[in-house]
Short mmCIF file of all heavy atoms in Angstrom, two decimals:
data_model
loop_
_atom_site.label_atom_id
_atom_site.label_comp_id
_atom_site.label_asym_id
_atom_site.label_seq_id
_atom_site.Cartn_x
_atom_site.Cartn_y
_atom_site.Cartn_z
N ALA Z 2 21.50 30.12 -2.99
CA ALA Z 2 22.27 31.36 -2.93
C ALA Z 2 23.70 31.11 -2.43
O ALA Z 2 24.62 31.83 -2.81
CB ALA Z 2 21.57 32.37 -2.04
N THR Z 3 23.86 30.07 -1.61
CA THR Z 3 25.20 29.74 -1.12
C THR Z 3 26.11 29.35 -2.28
O THR Z 3 27.26 29.80 -2.36
CB THR Z 3 25.13 28.60 -0.08
OG1 THR Z 3 24.27 29.02 0.99
CG2 THR Z 3 26.49 28.24 0.45
N ALA Z 4 25.61 28.51 -3.19
CA ALA Z 4 26.40 28.10 -4.35
C ALA Z 4 26.66 29.27 -5.29
O ALA Z 4 27.74 29.38 -5.87
CB ALA Z 4 25.70 26.97 -5.10
N TRP Z 5 25.67 30.15 -5.44
CA TRP Z 5 25.83 31.35 -6.27
C TRP Z 5 27.00 32.17 -5.74
O TRP Z 5 27.88 32.60 -6.49
CB TRP Z 5 24.54 32.14 -6.25
CG TRP Z 5 24.53 33.44 -7.00
CD1 TRP Z 5 25.08 34.63 -6.58
CD2 TRP Z 5 23.96 33.72 -8.27
NE1 TRP Z 5 24.87 35.62 -7.51
CE2 TRP Z 5 24.18 35.08 -8.56
CE3 TRP Z 5 23.25 32.94 -9.19
CZ2 TRP Z 5 23.72 35.68 -9.74
CZ3 TRP Z 5 22.81 33.56 -10.35
CH2 TRP Z 5 23.05 34.90 -10.62
N ASP Z 6 27.01 32.40 -4.43
CA ASP Z 6 28.06 33.18 -3.79
C ASP Z 6 29.42 32.49 -3.91
O ASP Z 6 30.42 33.12 -4.25
CB ASP Z 6 27.70 33.41 -2.32
CG ASP Z 6 28.66 34.36 -1.61
OD1 ASP Z 6 29.13 35.32 -2.24
OD2 ASP Z 6 28.93 34.13 -0.42
N LYS Z 7 29.47 31.18 -3.66
CA LYS Z 7 30.73 30.43 -3.75
C LYS Z 7 31.29 30.41 -5.17
O LYS Z 7 32.49 30.32 -5.36
CB LYS Z 7 30.54 28.99 -3.25
CG LYS Z 7 30.47 28.90 -1.75
CD LYS Z 7 30.36 27.46 -1.29
CE LYS Z 7 30.28 27.41 0.22
NZ LYS Z 7 30.10 26.04 0.71
N ALA Z 8 30.40 30.53 -6.16
CA ALA Z 8 30.84 30.56 -7.56
C ALA Z 8 31.41 31.93 -7.93
O ALA Z 8 31.88 32.13 -9.05
CB ALA Z 8 29.68 30.20 -8.49
N GLY Z 9 31.36 32.88 -7.00
CA GLY Z 9 31.90 34.21 -7.26
C GLY Z 9 31.00 35.09 -8.10
O GLY Z 9 31.44 36.11 -8.64
N LEU Z 10 29.71 34.73 -8.18
CA LEU Z 10 28.76 35.53 -8.95
C LEU Z 10 28.34 36.73 -8.10
O LEU Z 10 28.40 36.68 -6.87
CB LEU Z 10 27.56 34.67 -9.35
CG LEU Z 10 27.95 33.45 -10.22
CD1 LEU Z 10 26.74 32.55 -10.45
CD2 LEU Z 10 28.54 33.90 -11.55
N PRO Z 11 27.91 37.82 -8.73
CA PRO Z 11 27.66 39.07 -7.98
C PRO Z 11 26.50 38.96 -6.99
O PRO Z 11 25.45 38.43 -7.31
CB PRO Z 11 27.35 40.09 -9.08
CG PRO Z 11 27.00 39.29 -10.28
CD PRO Z 11 27.66 37.97 -10.16
N VAL Z 12 26.76 39.47 -5.78
CA VAL Z 12 25.76 39.53 -4.73
C VAL Z 12 25.83 40.90 -4.05
O VAL Z 12 26.83 41.60 -4.17
CB VAL Z 12 25.96 38.43 -3.65
CG1 VAL Z 12 25.76 37.05 -4.24
CG2 VAL Z 12 27.31 38.55 -2.99
N VAL Z 13 24.78 41.24 -3.35
CA VAL Z 13 24.76 42.44 -2.53
C VAL Z 13 24.69 41.97 -1.09
O VAL Z 13 23.81 41.19 -0.73
CB VAL Z 13 23.54 43.33 -2.87
CG1 VAL Z 13 23.49 44.54 -1.95
CG2 VAL Z 13 23.58 43.75 -4.33
N ARG Z 14 25.64 42.42 -0.27
CA ARG Z 14 25.69 42.00 1.14
C ARG Z 14 25.31 43.16 2.05
O ARG Z 14 25.59 44.30 1.75
CB ARG Z 14 27.10 41.56 1.52
CG ARG Z 14 27.57 40.35 0.78
CD ARG Z 14 28.98 39.95 1.28
NE ARG Z 14 29.56 38.95 0.43
CZ ARG Z 14 29.30 37.65 0.50
NH1 ARG Z 14 28.46 37.23 1.39
NH2 ARG Z 14 29.88 36.81 -0.31
N SER Z 15 24.73 42.81 3.18
CA SER Z 15 24.46 43.82 4.19
C SER Z 15 25.44 43.64 5.34
O SER Z 15 26.22 42.71 5.36
CB SER Z 15 23.02 43.71 4.71
OG SER Z 15 22.91 42.64 5.62
N ARG Z 16 25.36 44.53 6.32
CA ARG Z 16 26.24 44.45 7.48
C ARG Z 16 25.91 43.28 8.38
O ARG Z 16 26.76 42.77 9.07
CB ARG Z 16 26.10 45.71 8.35
CG ARG Z 16 26.41 46.97 7.71
CD ARG Z 16 26.37 48.11 8.73
NE ARG Z 16 25.68 47.80 9.95
CZ ARG Z 16 24.70 48.51 10.47
NH1 ARG Z 16 24.27 49.57 9.85
NH2 ARG Z 16 24.13 48.18 11.60
N ARG Z 17 24.64 42.89 8.41
CA ARG Z 17 24.21 41.86 9.35
C ARG Z 17 24.93 40.55 9.04
O ARG Z 17 24.94 40.08 7.93
CB ARG Z 17 22.71 41.65 9.28
CG ARG Z 17 22.26 40.73 10.40
CD ARG Z 17 20.81 40.46 10.40
NE ARG Z 17 20.05 41.67 10.29
CZ ARG Z 17 18.74 41.68 10.20
NH1 ARG Z 17 18.08 40.57 10.21
NH2 ARG Z 17 18.09 42.80 10.09
N SER Z 18 25.50 39.96 10.07
CA SER Z 18 26.28 38.76 9.86
C SER Z 18 25.46 37.48 9.95
O SER Z 18 25.76 36.52 9.28
CB SER Z 18 27.44 38.70 10.86
OG SER Z 18 26.94 38.70 12.18
N LEU Z 19 24.43 37.45 10.78
CA LEU Z 19 23.65 36.23 10.93
C LEU Z 19 22.16 36.50 10.72
O LEU Z 19 21.63 37.47 11.24
CB LEU Z 19 23.82 35.65 12.34
CG LEU Z 19 25.16 35.02 12.66
CD1 LEU Z 19 25.19 34.60 14.13
CD2 LEU Z 19 25.42 33.83 11.78
N PRO Z 20 21.47 35.62 10.00
CA PRO Z 20 20.02 35.76 9.87
C PRO Z 20 19.35 35.64 11.24
O PRO Z 20 19.86 34.98 12.14
CB PRO Z 20 19.61 34.59 8.97
CG PRO Z 20 20.87 34.16 8.29
CD PRO Z 20 21.99 34.51 9.23
N MET Z 21 18.18 36.24 11.38
CA MET Z 21 17.48 36.28 12.66
C MET Z 21 17.20 34.89 13.21
O MET Z 21 17.35 34.64 14.41
CB MET Z 21 16.18 37.08 12.53
CG MET Z 21 15.44 37.26 13.83
SD MET Z 21 16.39 38.10 15.12
CE MET Z 21 16.49 39.74 14.42
N PHE Z 22 16.76 33.96 12.36
CA PHE Z 22 16.44 32.63 12.88
C PHE Z 22 17.66 31.96 13.51
O PHE Z 22 17.55 31.25 14.49
CB PHE Z 22 15.79 31.74 11.81
CG PHE Z 22 16.72 31.19 10.78
CD1 PHE Z 22 17.32 29.96 10.93
CD2 PHE Z 22 17.00 31.92 9.63
CE1 PHE Z 22 18.17 29.45 9.96
CE2 PHE Z 22 17.85 31.42 8.66
CZ PHE Z 22 18.44 30.19 8.83
N ARG Z 23 18.84 32.22 12.96
CA ARG Z 23 20.05 31.65 13.56
C ARG Z 23 20.39 32.34 14.88
O ARG Z 23 20.86 31.71 15.83
CB ARG Z 23 21.22 31.74 12.58
CG ARG Z 23 21.00 30.75 11.43
CD ARG Z 23 22.18 30.55 10.55
NE ARG Z 23 23.39 30.23 11.26
CZ ARG Z 23 24.61 30.43 10.75
NH1 ARG Z 23 24.73 30.95 9.54
NH2 ARG Z 23 25.67 30.11 11.43
N GLN Z 24 20.16 33.66 14.96
CA GLN Z 24 20.39 34.36 16.22
C GLN Z 24 19.46 33.81 17.31
O GLN Z 24 19.87 33.63 18.46
CB GLN Z 24 20.14 35.86 16.06
CG GLN Z 24 21.17 36.56 15.18
CD GLN Z 24 20.89 38.04 15.06
OE1 GLN Z 24 20.62 38.69 16.05
NE2 GLN Z 24 20.96 38.56 13.85
N ILE Z 25 18.21 33.51 16.94
CA ILE Z 25 17.25 32.94 17.90
C ILE Z 25 17.71 31.55 18.34
O ILE Z 25 17.68 31.22 19.53
CB ILE Z 25 15.84 32.90 17.29
CG1 ILE Z 25 15.31 34.33 17.11
CG2 ILE Z 25 14.89 32.08 18.16
CD1 ILE Z 25 14.05 34.43 16.28
N GLN Z 26 18.17 30.74 17.40
CA GLN Z 26 18.65 29.40 17.75
C GLN Z 26 19.84 29.49 18.70
O GLN Z 26 19.91 28.75 19.69
CB GLN Z 26 19.06 28.64 16.48
CG GLN Z 26 17.89 28.25 15.61
CD GLN Z 26 18.34 27.69 14.26
OE1 GLN Z 26 19.41 28.04 13.75
NE2 GLN Z 26 17.53 26.83 13.68
N ILE Z 27 20.77 30.38 18.43
CA ILE Z 27 21.95 30.54 19.30
C ILE Z 27 21.54 31.04 20.67
O ILE Z 27 22.00 30.52 21.70
CB ILE Z 27 22.98 31.49 18.64
CG1 ILE Z 27 23.59 30.83 17.40
CG2 ILE Z 27 24.07 31.89 19.64
CD1 ILE Z 27 24.37 31.78 16.51
N GLY Z 28 20.65 32.04 20.71
CA GLY Z 28 20.21 32.60 21.99
C GLY Z 28 19.46 31.58 22.83
O GLY Z 28 19.75 31.40 24.03
N ALA Z 29 18.49 30.89 22.22
CA ALA Z 29 17.71 29.90 22.97
C ALA Z 29 18.58 28.72 23.41
O ALA Z 29 18.52 28.29 24.56
CB ALA Z 29 16.53 29.42 22.12
N GLY Z 30 19.40 28.23 22.51
CA GLY Z 30 20.28 27.12 22.86
C GLY Z 30 21.27 27.49 23.95
O GLY Z 30 21.54 26.69 24.87
N GLY Z 31 21.79 28.71 23.88
CA GLY Z 31 22.72 29.18 24.91
C GLY Z 31 22.06 29.27 26.28
O GLY Z 31 22.66 28.90 27.30
N MET Z 32 20.81 29.76 26.30
CA MET Z 32 20.10 29.86 27.59
C MET Z 32 19.78 28.48 28.16
O MET Z 32 19.85 28.27 29.37
CB MET Z 32 18.83 30.69 27.44
CG MET Z 32 19.11 32.18 27.30
SD MET Z 32 17.63 33.21 27.39
CE MET Z 32 16.83 32.81 25.85
N VAL Z 33 19.43 27.52 27.31
CA VAL Z 33 19.18 26.15 27.79
C VAL Z 33 20.45 25.57 28.40
O VAL Z 33 20.44 25.01 29.50
CB VAL Z 33 18.64 25.26 26.64
CG1 VAL Z 33 18.67 23.79 27.04
CG2 VAL Z 33 17.23 25.67 26.26
N LEU Z 34 21.56 25.70 27.68
CA LEU Z 34 22.83 25.18 28.20
C LEU Z 34 23.25 25.90 29.49
O LEU Z 34 23.74 25.26 30.43
CB LEU Z 34 23.93 25.30 27.14
CG LEU Z 34 23.79 24.36 25.95
CD1 LEU Z 34 24.86 24.66 24.92
CD2 LEU Z 34 23.86 22.91 26.39
N LEU Z 35 23.05 27.21 29.55
CA LEU Z 35 23.37 27.96 30.76
C LEU Z 35 22.53 27.47 31.93
O LEU Z 35 23.06 27.26 33.04
CB LEU Z 35 23.15 29.46 30.53
CG LEU Z 35 23.42 30.37 31.72
CD1 LEU Z 35 24.92 30.35 32.07
CD2 LEU Z 35 22.98 31.80 31.42
N GLY Z 36 21.24 27.28 31.71
CA GLY Z 36 20.37 26.78 32.77
C GLY Z 36 20.80 25.41 33.27
O GLY Z 36 20.81 25.14 34.48
N LEU Z 37 21.19 24.54 32.35
CA LEU Z 37 21.66 23.21 32.74
C LEU Z 37 22.97 23.29 33.52
O LEU Z 37 23.14 22.62 34.55
CB LEU Z 37 21.83 22.32 31.52
CG LEU Z 37 20.54 21.87 30.83
CD1 LEU Z 37 20.86 21.14 29.53
CD2 LEU Z 37 19.70 21.00 31.75
N ALA Z 38 23.90 24.11 33.05
CA ALA Z 38 25.20 24.23 33.73
C ALA Z 38 25.04 24.83 35.12
O ALA Z 38 25.62 24.34 36.09
CB ALA Z 38 26.15 25.07 32.89
N LEU Z 39 24.24 25.90 35.24
CA LEU Z 39 24.04 26.54 36.54
C LEU Z 39 23.27 25.66 37.51
O LEU Z 39 23.42 25.78 38.73
CB LEU Z 39 23.36 27.89 36.37
CG LEU Z 39 24.18 28.98 35.69
CD1 LEU Z 39 23.34 30.23 35.45
CD2 LEU Z 39 25.42 29.32 36.50
N SER Z 40 22.43 24.75 36.97
CA SER Z 40 21.65 23.87 37.85
C SER Z 40 22.54 22.88 38.59
O SER Z 40 22.13 22.31 39.60
CB SER Z 40 20.58 23.12 37.05
OG SER Z 40 21.16 22.13 36.22
N LEU Z 41 23.77 22.70 38.13
CA LEU Z 41 24.72 21.84 38.85
C LEU Z 41 25.09 22.46 40.19
O LEU Z 41 25.35 21.76 41.17
CB LEU Z 41 25.97 21.57 38.01
CG LEU Z 41 25.74 20.79 36.71
CD1 LEU Z 41 27.02 20.74 35.90
CD2 LEU Z 41 25.22 19.40 37.01
N ALA Z 42 25.13 23.81 40.24
CA ALA Z 42 25.46 24.51 41.47
C ALA Z 42 24.20 24.78 42.29
O ALA Z 42 24.23 24.71 43.53
CB ALA Z 42 26.15 25.84 41.16
#
């Protein structure tokens, strides 16, 4: 679908900017990094 979109072929887009699995990856990764950074203090 990425190549379809880059080729300028018709797509229907929604408002949501990121798929849920990517939101989960960002959230979990951010909390791990936050825990590591705060553990220094």
Side-chain angles (χ1 to χ4, degrees):
T3 302
W5 178 282
D6 187 36
K7 284 184 180 176
L10 300 173
V12 295
V13 176
R14 296 182 191 278
S15 78
R16 301 186 342 234
R17 188 180 312 176
S18 60
L19 288 176
M21 184 59 69
F22 75 93
R23 289 191 52 202
Q24 292 181 45
I25 293 169
Q26 290 171 331
I27 292 167
M32 286 189 290
V33 167
L34 290 175
L35 179 66
L37 289 173
L39 292 174
S40 72
L41 296 174

